[in-house]
């Protein structure tokens, strides 16, 4: 009897050890992707009017943080997430050296409620000693099929999409060799295929905050009666009250969270890592 009881005790102890080891193993196993867990738990609400102040502790700007602040976000990869960092109540985007396009920053979309009138405003700052190189994109509004990426011929021929963003540039032959911000547009009447830069420039410096503001009012039908105004650092760089965005209904439907170098080839890359800060984002859907 004693032998049987000892065997029983040993069996129970062995089972306990196995259970304990299993539970310990489960404790240390992490999800295959923390980002995928973020994506599963983030509630995507499509917003109209809202403000984002980035009032968070310093650290990574997770997908769930982005969704909480902006709503229905798409195209935010793990790499793009890792290039976002909350720093002193602003979001800092790392612009890696020797990269261009999406790999040099972020290229995401924020879905907003469809409307014919929107205002978008944010503050932007380039880090001290930022290497301007040839230039790059900053956030803006798009509508309909949201043409970008040298699809100007589709914007012209189809008349069912447009985009209004700004770029920074630095050319030795322009603006006295000083960096500047210029409008960068795709629309029905555009004269070229790879983004129209219609003229006005705002000279900028590193380590200085500038407010970028877009005021969009779509044209009706095929009429040239739309309005587009872009203001940078208090200076109006584009103002057109006879603007034709499209000839088919193409409501404002996305903010393009575009912050990257390029351009579509390696000539737009820089040999130095830089940082771009964004803060105080204001989105206003107008009746």
């Amino acid at each position: 009897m004693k032998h049987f009881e000892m065997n029983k005790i040993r069996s129970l102890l062995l089972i306990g050890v196995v259970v304990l080891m299993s539970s310990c193993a489960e404790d240390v196993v992490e999800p295959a992707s923390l980002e995928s867990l973020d994506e599963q738990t983030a509630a995507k609400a499509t917003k109209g009017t809202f403000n984002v102040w980035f009032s968070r502790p310093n650290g990574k700007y997770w997908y769930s943080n982005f969704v909480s602040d902006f709503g229905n976000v798409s195209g935010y990869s793990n790499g793009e997430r890792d290039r976002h960092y909350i720093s002193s109540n602003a979001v800092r985007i790392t612009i890696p050296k020797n990269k261009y396009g999406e790999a040099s920053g972020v290229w995401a979309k924020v879905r907003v409620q469809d409307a014919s009138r929107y205002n978008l405003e944010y503050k932007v700052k380039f880090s001290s000693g930022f290497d301007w190189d040839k230039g790059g994109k900053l956030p803006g509004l798009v509508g309909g099929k949201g043409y970008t990426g040298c699809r100007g011929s589709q914007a012209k021929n189809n008349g069912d999409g447009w985009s209004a963003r700004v770029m920074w540039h630095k050319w030795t032959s322009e603006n006295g060799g000083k960096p500047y911000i210029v409008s960068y547009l795709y629309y029905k009447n555009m004269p070229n295929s790879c983004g129209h830069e219609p003229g006005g420039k705002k000279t900028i410096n590193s380590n200085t905050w500038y407010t970028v503001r877009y005021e969009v009012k779509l044209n009706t039908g095929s009429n040239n009666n739309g309005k587009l105004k872009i203001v940078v650092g208090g200076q109006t760089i584009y103002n057109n009250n006879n603007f034709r965005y499209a000839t088919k209904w193409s409501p404002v439907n996305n903010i393009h969270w575009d912050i990257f170098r390029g351009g579509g080839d390696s000539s737009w890359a820089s040999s130095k890592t830089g940082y771009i800060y964004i803060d105080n984002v204001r989105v206003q859907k107008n009746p």
Side-chain angles (χ1 to χ4, degrees), residues 7-228:
N7 285 341
K8 185 176 181 181
I9 291 170
R10 289 193 187 98
S11 298
L12 290 172
L13 288 172
L14 180 60
I15 291 171
V17 169
V18 170
V19 170
L20 180 61
M21 290 177 66
S22 299
S23 64
C24 289
E26 289 176 359
D27 284 345
V28 299
V29 171
E30 296 179 354
S33 169
L34 291 174
E35 187 64 24
S36 65
L37 182 62
D38 256 350
E39 291 181 4
Q40 292 169 14
T41 58
K44 293 185 175 182
T46 302
K47 301 182 180 182
T49 298
F50 59 97
N51 299 332
V52 181
W53 309 117
F54 301 107
S55 299
R56 299 178 178 277
N58 289 353
K60 274 189 179 180
Y61 193 50
W62 294 99
Y63 179 88
S64 57
N65 299 148
F66 201 169
V67 169
S68 175
D69 286 340
F70 285 87
N72 194 343
V73 177
S74 62
Y76 192 53
S77 70
N78 287 9
E80 291 167 301
R81 174 207 64 198
D82 291 342
R83 290 188 287 274
H84 279 65
Y85 189 88
I86 298 297
S87 175
S88 301
N89 294 324
V91 65
R92 185 191 72 195
I93 297 90
T94 300
I95 310 297
K97 64 181 181 180
N98 303 323
K99 301 290 185 181
Y100 65 94
E102 182 178 352
S104 70
V106 62
W107 198 342
K109 293 181 180 179
V110 177
R111 183 75 169 88
V112 295
Q113 297 170 4
D114 289 2
S116 61
R117 296 181 63 190
Y118 260 97
N119 294 342
L120 168 64
E121 181 178 298
Y122 58 85
K123 293 173 64 177
V124 61
K125 180 176 73 171
F126 297 83
S127 59
S128 179
F130 187 85
D131 182 15
W132 306 99
D133 203 65
K134 291 172 66 173
K137 308 295 194 305
L138 293 173
L141 292 168
V142 305
K145 292 190 176 179
Y147 293 117
T148 60
C150 288
R151 293 187 295 159
S153 59
Q154 295 180 52
K156 289 188 290 185
N157 296 333
N158 300 338
D160 59 356
W162 56 272
S163 62
R165 294 174 293 167
V166 295
M167 288 191 72
W168 84 84
H169 279 306
K170 186 177 185 296
W171 310 99
T172 56
S173 59
E174 295 239 5
N175 201 45
K178 298 177 182 179
Y180 62 91
I181 289 177
V182 66
S183 305
Y184 186 74
L185 313 174
Y186 285 78
Y187 59 103
K188 176 63 179 177
N189 290 358
M190 65 184 298
N192 55 326
S193 294
C194 287
H196 182 209
E197 300 180 15
K201 301 176 177 67
K202 170 64 177 178
T203 301
I204 56 174
N205 296 298
S206 62
N207 202 31
T208 303
W209 284 106
Y210 297 94
T211 298
V212 177
R213 180 175 175 85
Y214 301 84
E215 298 178 12
V216 167
K217 181 182 179 182
L218 299 185
N219 61 291
T220 57
S222 296
N223 299 310
N224 294 318
N225 62 351
K227 297 182 179 181
L228 175 59

